[in-house]
Each structure stands twice: as C-alpha cells, then as structure tokens.
Amino acid sequence: MAGVLVCGVAASGGGAAGGGAVGGEIRLAAPPVDAPIRISADRAYRWRQDGEDVWLLQGGCEIAQGETTIRGEEAVAWIERPEEKGGAIERVAAFVSRGVVIDQRGKAGGGGAGRREKA
C-alpha cells in the first residue's frame, strides 16, 4: 500500500518521582509519499468506522515506510480509502505503544547508518 503515513508513539521515561508517561513529539524525516507502507503484527483485528479501516495490532507490531521503521508491542492504524478515488489507500495514521523503537536508516554515507531511538 502507498500513501501518506502519519504516526504517533507513546513515550515513557523516568523522572525524579519514579517515572511515568511523558507527553512529547518525535519528529521523523518524511519518507517519500509514493513509498509503500508495510504493516505487520502477530495478531490483527479489523473493522470499519467512519469510512476508515481500523486495525488493532498486537504483538511484534511493525510499521514501515521508506527508510523509517517503527516497532512496538501494540498499535492502532486508521486507513483512509476514499470511494471517490476507487478505494485506493490515501492516508494511514497510526499510534504505536509499549516498547516503541524508531529506526531511521539514512542513505547518506552509503553504509545504511541512521538514527535509532527508543521512545
């Protein structure tokens, strides 16, 4: 599937009070919009809601587009397939949580070196 991928992650971290949820924004390099979006998980449940396909993903979740891969134990993906465009996928929005790892492989340097963050 190709389209625009918009992704949010649940970040956690420790503070002086012993840790807890931390709200924040993680900025990723924008992949080319024509790059395929790959979504996989150990278990997936799908339903339609407000004109979108909604996928609840559990266990070994992976969402990738271009050089960016986001992994976590749970995810929800909302997939827009407008009927006026023949049902082609136009946009994928996803929220990933639990053990989130973001891997961005850069093309510069030729070695596939990139940035890897744990959220």
Side-chain angles (χ1 to χ4, degrees), residues 18-74:
V22 175
E25 183 177 308
I26 297 173
R27 294 182 184 264
L28 303 174
V33 295
D34 59 345
I37 299 169
R38 297 175 315 277
I39 300 174
S40 63
D42 295 339
R43 290 173 304 285
Y45 307 91
R46 178 189 162 276
W47 65 92
R48 295 268 312 155
Q49 182 177 331
D50 298 328
E52 295 180 322
D53 290 334
V54 181
W55 288 83
L56 173 62
L57 308 167
Q58 297 176 327
C61 303
E62 184 172 294
I63 301 174
Q65 184 178 27
E67 300 294 325
T68 301
T69 302
I70 302 171
R71 295 177 185 88
E73 286 304 308
E74 294 180 345

Side-chain angles (χ1 to χ4, degrees), residues 67-90:
E67 300 294 325
T68 301
T69 302
I70 302 171
R71 295 177 185 88
E73 286 304 308
E74 294 180 345
V76 178
W78 295 267
I79 301 173
E80 288 183 21
R81 295 175 181 260
E83 288 182 25
E84 62 272 8
K85 296 193 176 183
I89 294 171
E90 181 158 296

